[in-house]
Amino acid sequence: MGANELLADLAGVGRSPNGGYTRLSWDPATMELREWFVAQAEALGLAVTEDGNGNQLAWWGSGPDALLLGSHLDSVPSGGPLDGPLGVTSAFAAIAALRGSGWRPGRPIAVANFTDEEGGRFGVACLGSRLATGAIAPETALGLRDADGYSLAEVMSARGHDPHLAGPVGWLAECQYYIELHVEQGRWLGPAGAAVGVASAIWPHGRYRLDFCGQGNHAGATAMADRHDPMLAYAATMLAARELATVSGQRATLGRVQVEPNSTNSIPSRVTAWLDARASAEPELESLVAGIIVRAEAAATAEGATVEVRAESVTGAVEFDLELRHRLAQLLDAPVLPTGAGHDAGILAAKLPTAMLFVRNPTGVSHAPEEHAAPEDIDAGVAALTRVVQEVAG
Ligand code: GLV
Ligand code: MN
Ligand code: MN
C-alpha cells in the first residue's frame, strides 16, 4: 500500500467531534494504532520489537549501523491527520516499494513508532525518545500524571507494560542514522514552490506551568475593589505573552488553562495555565520567558494574588547533522528550512546523525483538523524518502 492508502486505513481511529484526531498515549486509539503498526510491519515481512518505554520498531534486517525511519502515531487533542502518521506510513510505503522492486539494503532499516511525542497526556513532549536516549530519568517520567491523576507508571501497568523496564535502550546503539519525514508545520514550502524540504534546525522551546492563586468569592456580593481574582492576573499574562513575543519576533502561547472552581457565579480561587514558548535561539527564549514571568508577577501582585512558575520541560536548540542534511538536500534538490515545532528527531539528534524531510502543507495549519498535504505531495514525500533510503542504506 502507498502512504495515502495507509493513512486512509487509519482515518477512523481516534476521530474527534471537530473532525480532527485525539490519540493520546496509551488511550484506546493509540492502543489500536499500536496493533495496526504491528499488522502493517508483519504484512511487509518486518520483525517487530518493543522497548521498555513502549516505542515500537519494525526491522528489515538486524545488526549494527541501522538506518532508522518513522515518527509517532499519537496526536495532540483534536489534532490533524498527518503530524506523526505521515512519517510512519511514508516509511512503510518506501520499504514496500523497495522490497517490491527487489532492492536489498546494505544495512538494516527500522521503522519507529515513538510513544507520546506530543506530550498530550502527561505534559512532557517526546517522552518515548527522551526515555530511550536518557534525556529524562525514568522515575521523573513515570511519576508524571495525566488529567485524571493517573501516573505514567500506573497507565503503563494497566496496559500490561512493566514500568520498571522504562529507560535508556540498547537498540539505539544499533542505529547509525535517524531520518524522520514529517508534514510541514507553518507555510514555507508552498511559497517556495517545493513539495519536499529538508530541515536545518529546531528552535529551542519549553513548557512552563503557571499557578495563579487568589481568593475565591461570590461574583455578586464582592465589590470590584475587594477582589483578588487570579483570572485577571492570568489574562494580563496572556496579553503580555502576545506582546513580548510579537515585539521580539519569537513565539508564546497559552493554550491550556484550568480554572478552579470554574463556576460562572464565583471569582476563581486558582487558575493554572501552561505557557509554550519558542525562540530562534536560547538567550532569546530565556529572555522571552523571563519577561513574561515578570509581567505575570506584577499582575498578580497588583491584584493581591500570587503566581508560581515551574518549567516542565525545556529543549535546547537543535542543529541537524550538517553533512547528512547537505547530502539529502543535494540528492533531492530540496530547500532547507528551520522549524518551530519539536520532534523525536530533535531528541535523537543528541545521539546520532539525524535529519528530517518535510512535505508541503498548503494550509500551513498543524495541531488542528485543517492540517493537510495533497495526495500527490504525499507521494512525492514517499519518493523522496525512498531515494534517501537507497542513498543512505544502499
Ligand atoms: C510538537 O509537535 C510540538 O512542537 O509541540
Ligand atoms: Mn510530530
Ligand atoms: Mn505535533
Side-chain angles (χ1 to χ4, degrees):
M1 276 200 265
N4 283 296
E5 289 74 24
L6 289 168
L7 286 163
D9 204 33
L10 311 174
V13 184
R15 215 65 207 242
S16 317
N18 71 345
Y21 293 88
T22 299
R23 298 162 168 171
L24 305 184
S25 61
W26 304 107
D27 73 355
T30 50
M31 293 311 289
E32 190 176 337
L33 293 173
R34 295 173 72 79
E35 283 175 26
W36 177 90
F37 181 91
V38 172
Q40 294 307 317
E42 288 178 351
L44 279 174
L46 309 178
V48 178
T49 60
E50 190 179 310
D51 68 21
N53 309 304
N55 299 315
Q56 294 177 301
L57 296 151
W59 295 89
W60 183 5
S62 61
D65 301 331
L67 166 62
L68 183 64
L69 308 172
S71 189
H72 60 97
L73 293 175
D74 67 306
S75 74
V76 295
S78 298
L82 300 173
D83 177 354
L86 185 61
V88 174
T89 54
S90 297
F92 280 149
I95 288 178
L98 288 167
R99 277 175 90 96
S101 73
W103 182 84
R104 290 294 170 259
R107 62 170 81 237
I109 298 175
V111 181
N113 167 26
F114 284 106
T115 48
D116 205 351
E117 192 273 347
E118 297 289 3
R121 181 158 182 186
F122 295 100
V124 176
C126 300
L127 260 189
S129 55
R130 282 186 207 272
L131 279 163
T133 55
I136 189 168
E139 51 280 14
T140 306
L142 293 169
L144 295 170
R145 292 190 180 271
D146 68 9
D148 295 322
Y150 294 109
S151 69
L152 174 60
E154 289 162 348
V155 168
M156 286 180 75
S157 296
R159 292 297 186 193
H161 292 255
D162 182 355
H164 297 104
L165 301 178
V169 294
W171 61 258
L172 206 53
E174 303 287 304
C175 296
Q176 178 74 34
Y177 300 105
Y178 177 44
I179 299 176
E180 179 172 356
L181 179 147
H182 205 277
V183 67
E184 179 186 21
Q185 296 167 299
R187 232 175 126 260
W188 198 94
L189 290 172
V196 175
V198 174
S200 57
I202 299 180
W203 278 23
H205 54 281
R207 296 182 183 189
Y208 310 82
R209 174 182 167 136
L210 290 82
D211 282 290
F212 298 92
C213 291
Q215 174 62 59
N217 212 334
H218 194 288
T222 315
M224 298 312 283
D226 293 341
R227 296 177 181 222
H228 306 293
D229 186 346
M231 189 72 98
L232 198 79
Y234 157 69
T237 305
M238 174 73 224
L239 294 174
R242 168 62 71 98
E243 178 196 321
L244 296 177
T246 304
V247 165
S248 61
Q250 315 301 341
R251 315 252 158 95
T253 306
L254 289 133
R256 177 179 162 208
V257 64
Q258 277 172 7
V259 181
E260 286 174 30
N262 209 22
S263 149
T264 304
N265 53 350
S266 307
I267 298 164
S269 56
R270 172 189 285 262
V271 174
T272 302
W274 282 264
L275 167 68
D276 178 310
R278 312 196 186 211
S280 52
E282 287 167 23
E284 278 75 6
L285 179 65
E286 281 163 24
S287 109
L288 172 65
V289 172
I292 294 169
I293 292 173
V294 165
R295 296 276 289 268
E297 286 171 344
T301 303
E303 185 63 10
T306 60
V307 60
E308 268 180 38
V309 183
R310 185 155 49 86
E312 291 197 331
S313 64
V314 181
T315 307
V318 174
E319 269 291 326
F320 287 112
D321 185 83
L322 265 180
E323 196 186 312
L324 185 59
R325 86 185 198 220
H326 283 154
R327 194 169 158 201
L328 302 194
Q330 215 162 33
L331 176 78
L332 302 172
D333 192 20
V336 178
L337 60 149
T339 174
H343 301 281
D344 294 310
I347 305 298
L348 265 67
K351 297 285 175 191
L352 69 168
T354 297
M356 290 191 77
L357 302 183
F358 291 128
V359 173
R360 174 166 52 196
N361 174 351
T363 65
V365 173
S366 189
H367 286 186
E370 292 76 16
E371 179 183 82
H372 182 66
E376 54 275 21
D377 284 355
I378 290 179
D379 287 338
V382 173
L385 188 64
T386 306
R387 286 188 69 194
V388 165
V389 171
Q390 285 178 301
E391 161 78 10
V392 177

